[in-house]
Amino acid sequence: MRSTLALVRRVLDAAAAVLLVIVLALTCAQVVFRYVLGISMPWTEELTRLLFVWLVLIGASRTSHMAIDLVPMSMRPGPARRTLEIGATGVGVLTLLVLIRYTVDLLEIVAYDRFTALGISVQYLYWSVIVGGGLWIAMSLAELFVRRDPEPPTIA
């Protein structure tokens, strides 16, 4: 299971890296075309924004939820510390589920909206929240339940 999780992490990292390179290339091309060649490319701005949102949410799925871990980290490994870790992950997962639930409602509202220059549906922007949130939930739960390496003994 640990090797599968490592593979998923690598795939997410690779996807984020590819998106970052594309965003960088589009931004550089937009600057060169606008200020050097005097040609406007409005579609690059929209595509950059769309890909950047996907990049952020895929990258976020690779991280832990922000948490104040002063109390759990000061405790010895055991049931109480584990309960706090599960509780913190539960709050994060619940928050993401609420975000995904309301994003699904927004998909219906923007069903007929299109990006001006790209001509594609704005739904692609909102799908990033659903996919990224789902990945974030899956990774949070996997990190919680995959056996960690034993912690080194502490000197008291």
Side-chain angles (χ1 to χ4, degrees):
M1 181 71 170
R2 198 180 304 174
S3 62
T4 303
L5 187 57
L7 176 64
V8 171
R9 282 189 202 124
R10 283 193 204 127
V11 168
L12 290 173
D13 287 345
V18 167
L19 286 171
L20 181 62
V21 168
I22 293 171
V23 166
L24 178 65
L26 286 170
T27 303
C28 289
Q30 183 180 18
V31 168
V32 168
F33 273 75
R34 178 172 290 169
Y35 294 108
V36 176
L37 303 175
I39 301 170
S40 177
M41 295 189 324
W43 63 270
T44 58
E45 182 180 339
E46 288 181 355
L47 186 57
T48 300
R49 187 176 344 130
L50 176 67
L51 294 178
F52 187 72
V53 172
W54 277 91
L55 167 65
V56 166
L57 288 163
I58 288 175
S61 69
R62 270 289 279 123
T63 64
S64 301
H65 285 287
M66 184 170 48
I68 300 172
D69 60 355
L70 177 67
V71 174
M73 295 309 283
S74 66
M75 300 171 70
R76 292 181 186 266
R81 181 174 174 176
R82 185 72 177 152
T83 302
L84 285 175
E85 290 172 350
I86 291 171
T89 301
V91 169
V93 166
L94 183 63
T95 303
L96 287 167
L97 287 172
V98 169
L99 180 68
I100 290 170
R101 193 288 186 208
Y102 286 106
T103 302
V104 169
D105 290 345
L106 287 174
L107 285 176
E108 294 177 22
I109 294 172
V110 299
Y112 300 105
D113 292 348
R114 301 239 176 257
F115 284 104
T116 305
L118 288 174
I120 62 173
S121 176
V122 175
Q123 284 185 336
Y124 289 112
L125 186 67
Y126 291 94
W127 272 106
S128 67
V129 176
I130 295 169
V131 172
L135 287 170
W136 200 345
I137 289 170
M139 291 301 290
S140 294
L141 293 175
E143 293 284 342
L144 183 65
F145 292 112
V146 168
R147 186 183 317 201
R148 297 184 187 146
D149 294 329
E151 295 185 22
T154 57
I155 300 173

